[in-house]
Amino acid sequence: MTQQELTVLNLGQSLDDLANLDPRGYGVCKILYKASREYTGAPLSMNSARKLCDTVKEGDFVYVMTGFVLRPYKKAEMDGIVSSMLLCRALVKAFGAKPIIICPEDNLEAVKNLSACVGLHLFEDFETLKEIPVSMGVITFTKDASKAEKQAEEIIKAATPTAVISIECPGANELGCYHNAIGLGVTELEAKQDILFEKLQAMGILNIAIGDLGNEIGMGTISDTLEKYIPYARRGACSCGCGGGIAVKTKADNIITATVSDWGCYAMIAALAYLLEDADIMHTAELEKEAVICASRSGMIDMYGWLVPAIDGFGLEINLPIVSLMREMVISALKLKTTCKTWFEKVEELHYFG
C-alpha cells in the first residue's frame, strides 16, 4: 500500500465517521453504515468522490436530486437542499461542471435564494446554462405519477448528464407508496423522481444516493438491513395501511449513509477536495452558516417543523463544527504529505492496513 492509498483509506474513513456521529444516541446511523460499508467495500465518501473524479468533465451536466416535503406542514425540509446547493458549488469548482438541481416546486424559492448564497448564476434554460460560466440549473419535477415518465424522458433528452446524485430525495416502496420517518403516507406530497433516477441508472450513468433512514431513493441497496433493523421498514410495518413499509425499492450503484444526509454529502465534498488537492472545493463553516440561515428564511423547515436554521434537529452549534473539522482534515492531509512521509513509511512496513 502506498502513502497515497493509505491516506485515501484513512481520511475517507475519518470523514465517514464524522458524518455518522450519533448525537441522538439511538444508533440508526450505525446500522445503516455497517451495511453500506460492507456493500461498498471502502469508505463511502471517498468511493463516491473517486467515481466523480473519474467521470465528470468540464461542461458536463450533473443532476442533483433532492426535496423531501413534510407533513402536516406541506413544506420541504432543510436536510438535502442545503448540501445539494453546496455540492453544486463544489462541482463547478472541481470540474467546471453544469449541475442541475431537480426538486419539487416546494424547494424552488430556496434554490433561487441559495444559488446567490453559494455564488452561482441560476438558469432554467439549458442552452443558456451551457454558455454561461459559474452557473447551475434547476428543474421542478412533477408529483403526478402519470406524468413522471414523460417528464423524465424530456429532461434526459434536453440535458443528458454524466452523473446523477440523489440527496435526501424521497423514494417509493415496492408498492409505489412514499413514507415519512414514522411510516405515515406522504405519496401525494412528493415529487416522483424515482423514475428519472432509475432511467439514468439503466443507461449506465454514474449514480450516487445519499440517505439517513431508508425512505430515500437508492436505499433499497441495503433493503435486507432496513427490513430487519429499521423501524417501520419491513412489509406491513408502516402506519399508512398500504401493506408495505418505508424501505424504498430503488437501488443505487453507490450509496452514502449518514446521521444526516447533508453530513454524508459534506463528507463526499471533502473527499473531492482532497483528491483534487484543492481545499476550497470544501465550503467553510461561514458559508455553511449563511446557507442554512438562507434556506430557513426561504421557507425550508427543520425535521420537527420549526422555521429555524437547523437540520434534522441539529442547529448551527453542531453543523458548523462538523464542516470545519472536515475541511481542516483535508487541509492537514494535503499539508502534511511531505512532513509525515517517514511515519507513513513506518506504518506501511508493519502491514496493518494490508
Side-chain angles (χ1 to χ4, degrees), residues 131-145:
E131 297 299 321
I132 303 298
V134 194
S135 62
M136 61 173 289
V138 62
I139 301 168
T140 57
F141 204 82
T142 184
K143 297 182 181 184
D144 186 337

Side-chain angles (χ1 to χ4, degrees), residues 179-249:
H179 297 86
N180 68 8
I182 57 172
L184 297 174
V186 291
T187 302
E188 72 284 359
L189 299 179
E190 310 303 345
K192 308 302 185 287
Q193 298 188 55
D194 314 56
I195 190 162
L196 177 59
F197 191 93
E198 291 171 341
K199 281 181 177 293
L200 293 168
Q201 185 179 40
M203 292 168 62
I205 302 295
L206 171 65
N207 57 90
I208 299 166
I210 303 175
D212 59 25
L213 184 61
N215 57 344
E216 309 93 354
I217 286 175
M219 295 302 106
T221 307
I222 54 171
S223 59
D224 289 347
T225 292
L226 299 180
E227 291 170 10
K228 189 172 183 180
Y229 296 115
I230 301 301
Y232 310 106
R234 71 181 185 278
R235 178 178 285 274
C238 64
S239 309
C240 74
C242 74
I246 71 170
V248 302
K249 178 189 71 171

Side-chain angles (χ1 to χ4, degrees), residues 91-328:
L91 291 168
V92 173
K93 276 188 164 288
F95 308 112
K98 300 291 184 179
I100 300 172
I101 290 279
I102 302 177
C103 62
E105 182 78 25
D106 312 72
N107 289 97
L108 189 56
E109 181 181 352
V111 171
K112 290 178 177 177
N113 293 337
L114 280 164
S115 63
C117 178
V118 303
L120 300 179
H121 302 275
L122 182 68
F123 300 104
E124 296 183 52
D125 172 58
F126 297 149
E127 291 304 316
T128 306
L129 175 60
K130 287 178 184 178
E131 297 299 321
I132 303 298
V134 194
S135 62
M136 61 173 289
V138 62
I139 301 168
T140 57
F141 204 82
T142 184
K143 297 182 181 184
D144 186 337
S146 68
K147 298 177 180 178
E149 182 163 359
K150 181 181 179 183
Q151 187 182 10
E153 291 171 351
E154 289 172 346
I155 293 170
I156 293 170
K157 184 178 180 180
T160 305
T162 57
V164 56
I165 305 160
S166 170
I167 308 167
E168 189 66 11
C169 194
N173 66 11
E174 61 182 10
L175 301 176
C177 299
Y178 297 73
H179 297 86
N180 68 8
I182 57 172
L184 297 174
V186 291
T187 302
E188 72 284 359
L189 299 179
E190 310 303 345
K192 308 302 185 287
Q193 298 188 55
D194 314 56
I195 190 162
L196 177 59
F197 191 93
E198 291 171 341
K199 281 181 177 293
L200 293 168
Q201 185 179 40
M203 292 168 62
I205 302 295
L206 171 65
N207 57 90
I208 299 166
I210 303 175
D212 59 25
L213 184 61
N215 57 344
E216 309 93 354
I217 286 175
M219 295 302 106
T221 307
I222 54 171
S223 59
D224 289 347
T225 292
L226 299 180
E227 291 170 10
K228 189 172 183 180
Y229 296 115
I230 301 301
Y232 310 106
R234 71 181 185 278
R235 178 178 285 274
C238 64
S239 309
C240 74
C242 74
I246 71 170
V248 302
K249 178 189 71 171
T250 307
K251 299 181 179 181
D253 296 330
N254 303 279
I255 60 170
I256 295 175
T257 56
T259 304
V260 175
S261 293
D262 277 350
W263 298 358
C265 184
Y266 297 158
M268 183 178 71
I269 294 172
L272 266 180
Y274 174 75
L275 292 173
L276 296 174
E277 300 187 352
D278 182 358
D280 288 336
I281 291 170
M282 178 66 187
H283 60 287
T284 62
E286 290 76 15
L287 182 52
E288 170 76 6
K289 180 178 181 179
E290 187 176 349
V292 172
I293 292 172
C294 178
S296 177
R297 300 298 181 261
S298 301
M300 303 295 95
I301 61 174
D302 179 35
M303 180 173 70
Y304 301 110
W306 290 89
L307 282 160
V308 295
I311 304 173
D312 277 5
F314 301 118
L316 297 173
E317 297 80 5
I318 192 166
N319 282 288
L320 302 192
I322 284 175
V323 168
S324 287
L325 281 168
M326 288 182 177
R327 193 171 194 275
E328 288 303 314

